[in-house]
Amino acid sequence: MVLDSGDTAWMLVAGSLVLLMIPALGLFESGLLRKKNAASIFMQIFFGLALLSVMWFVFGFSLSFSPSEHGLIGDMHWVFLKGVPSDDALPFAPTIPGVLFVKFQLMFACITPLLLTGTIAERMKFSSFIVFISAWSMLIYYPLVHWVWGGGWLAQLGVVDFAGGIVIHTSVGMAALAAALVLGKRRNYGPAIMIPHSIPLAVLGSSLLWLGWFGFNAGSALAASGGVAGNTVIVTHMASSVSALIWAGLSWVRTGKPSVVATINGAIAGLAGITPASGFVSAEHAFVIGIAIGVISYSGVVLFKEKLHIDDALDVSSVHGVAGIVGSLAIGIFASTMINPGGVDGLLFGNPDQLWIQAVGVAVAAAIGFGGTWILMQIIKHLIGIRVSPEVEDVGLDISEHAESAYSDEEEFMLDMDSYTDALQENDEIFRKKK
């Protein structure tokens, strides 16, 4: 295999763009939450970035991409990246150094579990969060990567996923539903606690996510040469734009006012939804897919939050999960080898079987995402607990979990600390009386 300098340069940039998405996620989520929990989101995301990076280096990449006998999970052939070449390529990406492929996939391995911070926000203990994302990566994400991208049994069945609609967004979205159900609603759940503390911060975060997504999707071509990466960029942008307009319009019709928050959520839904199909479909079909993503993901929010009253704090189940399912199934309809000779044809191009094959991949990811997360959360709940006390939740996770505040001046900080200390003393007194 001969390394290509242009492909290598592009993948260096693409991996950096995906890294940018991780702090951008923090900006987006913290802006949409209450002020008293803004710093806790950044702690979860930055600590998670460091922890998940080390896990990927030590054993995650090996479990995900090294060979396996039965297509279920990789062996420990590349543990600590032993044997991964820096001056030669791996079969997954034949024109870039093997270690650069590891780095690109590392960014995916980090951001995927961290998307769940948008669901568990404002009420999960930090210690439980650490256990949760570690176990979730090992038991759900790594196996799914191997099954779809590492040559495992779903890949052998014919399931394709260009940049993560099945592996990432479907699994995370259904995991969000399970996590929200086990955690339960936040205190005083309702419109009063759903007012963003900084819409400009959220808009900045969504803008950086949009930028980074070009590296996320176009980088999954694993090369700059050929037309796939270029087509992926325009397809990604088109679907996101259409979905943003759909969400803005639907919010306008339902509330009488066009919503900024709905518009940026629609853009993110479009990005998430087109991700699996972005390397296989034309811009014209991306326009149609964007409409479907916008309508169905917005309807998901109405169903889960308004009808079923599930407290998925930032609608990860709809913005990522529902959108990812739509895009993953769209491959089975709109994919064409005229766009990507290394891809597949869908229903419209003479291959109706691809639709049910994609449906199998979606069903498996949804099942392991929801079921695996439900089990993990229940185990953590019974072993160490998953939710902060009501008093701690009232004070906010910034002060109670980290003794820091995103915005407070000294006087306000001391008042918050006094409230937290009083809550702890009250809990101790209740505990002593019970004994």
Side-chain angles (χ1 to χ4, degrees):
M1 289 179 281
V2 179
L3 301 184
D4 183 275
S5 59
D7 292 348
T8 299
W10 163 235
M11 292 309 298
L12 287 168
V13 173
S16 299
L17 286 171
V18 182
L19 175 61
L20 174 68
M21 295 174 69
I22 297 177
L25 179 67
L27 293 170
F28 175 72
E29 292 184 346
S30 63
L32 294 177
L33 296 171
R34 289 173 287 181
K35 182 172 67 173
K36 63 183 180 180
N37 296 305
S40 68
I41 285 292
F42 284 106
M43 181 57 183
Q44 290 173 355
I45 285 175
F46 271 83
F47 185 92
L49 171 61
L51 173 62
L52 296 167
S53 296
V54 172
M55 288 174 57
W56 188 253
F57 166 73
V58 175
F59 55 83
F61 178 76
S62 190
L63 291 176
S64 300
F65 284 100
S66 61
S68 65
E69 292 186 9
H70 305 292
L72 296 178
I73 195 70
D75 57 28
M76 302 301 279
H77 183 72
W78 285 323
V79 66
F80 286 96
L81 305 190
K82 180 181 178 181
V84 176
S86 59
D87 56 355
D88 198 4
L90 293 173
F92 307 101
T95 62
I96 64 173
V99 290
L100 184 54
F101 177 75
V102 173
K103 165 62 164 52
F104 185 69
Q105 289 296 332
L106 163 64
M107 295 297 98
F108 283 52
C110 289
I111 198 170
T112 301
L114 296 180
L115 293 173
L116 289 166
T117 56
T119 294
I120 63 170
E122 303 193 320
R123 62 204 190 278
M124 190 173 191
K125 296 197 301 183
F126 184 68
S127 57
S128 302
F129 166 77
I130 295 172
V131 176
F132 173 61
I133 61 167
S134 302
W136 198 91
S137 295
M138 289 186 288
L139 301 177
I140 297 176
Y141 182 71
Y142 298 164
L144 269 175
V145 171
H146 187 74
W147 297 349
V148 179
W149 290 335
W153 70 277
L154 285 177
Q156 295 168 19
L157 182 66
V159 173
V160 295
D161 180 2
F162 189 74
I166 294 174
V167 175
I168 297 173
H169 297 293
T170 298
S171 65
V172 164
M174 296 306 100
L177 277 182
L181 289 170
V182 177
L183 271 172
K185 298 181 180 68
R186 287 167 289 176
R187 283 171 59 78
N188 305 311
Y189 176 74
I193 70 167
M194 298 178 189
I195 301 175
H197 90 272
S198 176
I199 289 178
L201 196 66
V203 171
L204 175 61
S206 65
S207 301
L208 293 173
L209 282 169
W210 198 330
L211 172 64
W213 226 293
F214 293 130
F216 195 95
N217 283 0
S220 294
L222 300 172
S225 54
V228 175
N231 184 74
T232 301
V233 169
I234 190 63
V235 163
T236 298
H237 190 73
M238 178 61 65
S240 182
S241 300
V242 171
S243 181
L245 293 176
I246 294 291
W247 275 61
L250 290 174
S251 72
W252 200 340
V253 170
R254 296 188 73 239
T255 67
K257 302 289 184 181
S259 167
V260 176
V261 172
T263 304
I264 61 177
N265 268 308
I268 300 303
L271 291 164
I274 199 60
T275 288
S278 59
F280 304 123
V281 302
S282 66
E284 295 92 337
H285 289 144
F287 184 90
V288 177
I289 295 170
I291 295 173
I293 291 168
V295 172
I296 299 174
S297 61
Y298 187 94
S299 300
V301 174
V302 174
L303 174 63
F304 296 143
K305 179 164 284 182
E306 298 183 18
K307 303 298 183 183
L308 300 179
H309 303 289
I310 298 172
D311 188 10
D312 177 358
L314 298 180
D315 303 312
V316 175
S317 52
S318 298
V319 173
H320 293 276
V322 173
I325 289 172
V326 172
S328 299
L329 294 176
I331 295 172
I333 301 173
F334 298 107
S336 171
T337 52
M338 291 185 292
I339 299 297
N340 185 344
V344 296
D345 285 316
L347 174 65
L348 295 182
F349 296 91
N351 182 23
D353 287 344
Q354 193 62 41
L355 184 56
W356 73 259
I357 292 172
Q358 293 302 117
V360 170
V362 167
V364 169
I368 191 175
F370 184 91
T373 302
W374 178 278
I375 294 170
L376 279 176
M377 293 287 282
Q378 292 289 359
I379 292 173
I380 297 170
K381 179 179 179 179
H382 287 91
L383 290 178
I384 61 175
I386 56 173
R387 185 161 176 163
V388 297
S389 69
E391 295 80 10
V392 166
E393 189 174 338
D394 286 341
V395 173
L397 270 61
D398 288 5
I399 296 297
S400 58
E401 289 279 276
H402 309 293
E404 295 173 324
S405 181
Y407 301 104
S408 297
D409 57 28
E410 184 176 355
E411 181 179 356
E412 185 179 348
F413 178 79
M414 293 309 299
L415 287 172
D416 288 340
M417 285 299 295
D418 289 341
S419 298
Y420 177 54
T421 302
D422 291 343
L424 289 180
Q425 291 174 346
E426 183 179 342
N427 284 342
D428 290 341
E429 183 65 25
I430 293 172
F431 180 74
R432 283 194 295 268
K433 287 180 178 178
K434 286 182 177 180
K435 291 186 67 176

